[in-house]
């Protein structure tokens, strides 16, 4: 199979480590000497159709090295949903630039793009290796133990909830509760990760609601009342995508993106945190706060997990290795070998098994009442997060 040129792009939301994967691809491709040029799609698949390319082989070594610690999407991202009428143009550009390796770094929808482009070229008789590189803070990709970007975003959320919990605990005579909303449209991995914020009994979060379990107002009010009785204040974490038993989003959002996914937070004009805040205020008369995180935690470079960044980099290098071996139609995957000591191996997952689908948290990762992650999830998540700062409190020695 011809090597020709390699093209790489980034799609979907940014993370603090997606550029580390990009650096891995560039360095491995250039080191191989197997490609005439290494190109970068400016604005993802849209940039390819518009012939907007970075010549990545002409980038300085310090620039490529610097990508490993730079958040955001250096190539600029896209959320374009492929249409049938796009394929003739895509094939035309691939042929024009003799592109024989097509890569995208991204999540479920991105893997669908790689899968469809690779399949179209195969049907048209054009030799092309299509390989996906995993990226999503939501951690909802099938075929991989976890996704690059998740651990860093989890750490950011964990620290936010821990610090917010200290504030809420100390201000409980003024504010009786705090509600913190994480991103995660269909899966509760990020919301669940905030359980690691607890240092000792009584710390927040007390309640965590994930999209994998249907939400009821009655259960929530009872949960909050019990938490308040036990601790004198309530810390709630909610995933943005939680729904009522009939499937209606708790956020009340009906806005959809180009992939027919419900938009939450600022984009949707509604939020789960605001709704839960209203429920507690109206039922109990409590005063409280709500906190909503969006893209800031996705690209929080100050709280990036170095292990996460290294794994992202290795995924990029692995993608090039697979392409040079003639592999196509796969996504690079992370397979966990051991928890203690933590170790992984890189493998592959078929794109057709990954595309468009979202991987929910297993039932065993959620407690029976559906308002907190289980110990099994804590055991899964703990090796991904480095040591957290310890906060102290005064001893109970009153006059």
């Amino acid at each position: 199979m011809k090597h020709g040129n390699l093209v790489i792009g980034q799609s979907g939301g940014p993370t603090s480590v997606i550029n580390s994967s990009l650096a891995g691809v560039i360095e491995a491709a250039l080191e191989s000497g197997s490609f005439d040029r290494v190109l970068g799609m400016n604005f993802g698949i849209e940039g390819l159709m518009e012939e907007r390319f970075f010549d990545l082989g002409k980038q300085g070594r310090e620039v490529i090295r610097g990508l490993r610690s730079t958040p955001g999407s250096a190539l600029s991202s896209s959320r374009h949903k492929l249409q049938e009428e796009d394929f003739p143009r895509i094939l035309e550009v691939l042929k024009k630039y003799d592109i024989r390796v097509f890569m995208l770094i991204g999540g479920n929808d991105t893997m669908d793009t790689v899968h469809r482009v690779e399949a179209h070229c195969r049907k048209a008789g054009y030799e092309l290796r299509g390989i996906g590189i995993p990226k999503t803070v939501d951690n909802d990709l099938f075929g991989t133990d976890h996704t690059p970007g998740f651990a860093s975003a989890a750490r950011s959320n964990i620290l936010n909830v821990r610090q917010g919990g200290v504030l809420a605990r100390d201000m409980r005579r003024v504010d009786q509760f705090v509600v913190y909303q994480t991103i995660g449209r269909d899966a509760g991995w990020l919301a669940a990760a905030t359980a690691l914020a607890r240092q000792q009994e009584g710390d927040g979060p007390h309640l965590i609601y994930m999209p994998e379990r249907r939400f009821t107002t009655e259960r929530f009010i009872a949960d909050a009342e019990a938490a308040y009785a036990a601790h004198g204040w309530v810390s709630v974490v909610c995933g943005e995508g939680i729904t009522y038993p009939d499937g209606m989003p708790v956020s009340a959002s009906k806005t959809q993106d180009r992939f027919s996914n419900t938009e939450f937070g600022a984009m949707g004009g509604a939020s789960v945190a605001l709704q839960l805040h209203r429920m507690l205020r109206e039922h109990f008369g409590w005063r409280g706060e709500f906190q909503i995180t969006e893209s800031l935690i996705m690209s929080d470079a100050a709280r990036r997990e170095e292990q996460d960044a290294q794994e992202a980099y290795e995924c990029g290098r692995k993608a090039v290795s697979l392409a040079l071996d003639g592999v196509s139609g796969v996504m690079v995957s992370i397979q966990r070998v051991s928890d203690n000591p933590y170790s992984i191996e890189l493998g592959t997952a078929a794109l057709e098994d990954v595309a468009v689908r979202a991987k929910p948290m297993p039932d065993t990762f959620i407690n029976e009442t559906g308002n907190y992650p289980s110990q099994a999830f804590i055991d899964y998540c703990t090796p991904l997060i480095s040591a957290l700062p310890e906060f102290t409190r005064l001893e109970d020695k009153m006059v």
Side-chain angles (χ1 to χ4, degrees), residues 230-293:
H231 311 296
W233 64 291
V234 185
S235 170
V236 180
V237 173
C238 55
E240 66 180 358
I242 62 174
T243 61
Y244 292 112
D246 64 359
M248 175 66 71
V250 176
S251 68
S253 176
K254 296 182 180 179
T255 304
Q256 294 186 328
D257 64 15
R258 296 177 184 177
F259 294 86
S260 299
N261 299 314
T262 301
E263 291 276 21
F264 301 101
M267 288 296 294
S271 72
V272 178
L274 182 58
Q275 297 299 327
L276 299 192
H277 181 282
R278 178 186 56 78
M279 292 176 195
L280 294 177
R281 185 187 71 245
E282 292 181 355
H283 186 85
F284 295 106
W286 294 340
R287 172 189 167 101
E289 294 187 356
F290 65 89
Q291 300 157 352
I292 302 172
T293 58

Side-chain angles (χ1 to χ4, degrees), residues 162-391:
R162 177 174 284 191
Q163 293 170 176
V166 169
L167 174 63
R169 181 198 68 205
D170 293 346
M171 295 294 291
R172 62 186 180 275
R173 285 285 184 93
V174 178
D175 293 323
Q176 286 75 50
F177 69 93
V178 59
V179 181
Y180 182 89
Q181 176 180 316
T182 70
I183 57 177
R185 183 173 52 238
D186 300 307
W189 299 94
L190 275 179
T194 64
L196 272 65
R198 299 182 70 172
Q199 284 185 249
Q200 55 186 281
E201 185 64 29
D203 286 350
H206 305 130
L207 303 168
I208 300 177
Y209 298 97
M210 298 147 280
E212 288 81 358
R213 293 292 183 272
R214 297 301 193 187
F215 176 92
T216 68
T217 303
E218 295 76 18
R219 180 72 256 179
F220 173 55
I221 293 300
D223 289 344
E225 188 170 30
Y228 184 82
H231 311 296
W233 64 291
V234 185
S235 170
V236 180
V237 173
C238 55
E240 66 180 358
I242 62 174
T243 61
Y244 292 112
D246 64 359
M248 175 66 71
V250 176
S251 68
S253 176
K254 296 182 180 179
T255 304
Q256 294 186 328
D257 64 15
R258 296 177 184 177
F259 294 86
S260 299
N261 299 314
T262 301
E263 291 276 21
F264 301 101
M267 288 296 294
S271 72
V272 178
L274 182 58
Q275 297 299 327
L276 299 192
H277 181 282
R278 178 186 56 78
M279 292 176 195
L280 294 177
R281 185 187 71 245
E282 292 181 355
H283 186 85
F284 295 106
W286 294 340
R287 172 189 167 101
E289 294 187 356
F290 65 89
Q291 300 157 352
I292 302 172
T293 58
E294 291 283 335
S295 58
L296 290 178
I297 64 99
M298 297 168 70
S299 296
D300 189 350
R303 294 168 169 179
R304 181 182 61 246
E305 287 284 356
E306 291 309 314
Q307 177 175 271
D308 188 22
Q310 181 62 29
E311 289 180 356
Y313 175 76
E314 295 299 335
C315 283
R317 295 191 66 92
K318 178 68 172 181
V320 174
S321 175
L322 290 169
L324 293 175
D325 288 341
V327 177
S328 185
V330 302
M331 178 190 78
V332 177
S333 67
I334 297 173
Q335 307 300 329
R336 190 179 305 206
V337 176
S338 171
D339 284 329
N340 189 20
Y342 171 77
S343 65
I344 63 164
E345 292 179 351
L346 297 182
T348 62
L351 285 173
E352 61 185 356
D353 295 334
V354 181
V356 181
R357 305 165 64 201
K359 180 181 73 176
M361 292 176 61
D363 287 342
T364 55
F365 279 10
I366 304 173
N367 69 4
E368 291 185 6
T369 53
N371 62 8
Y372 213 80
S374 67
Q375 186 58 48
F377 173 81
I378 303 298
D379 295 340
Y380 160 85
C381 195
T382 297
L384 305 180
I385 308 299
S386 59
L388 296 164
E390 295 286 332
F391 298 155

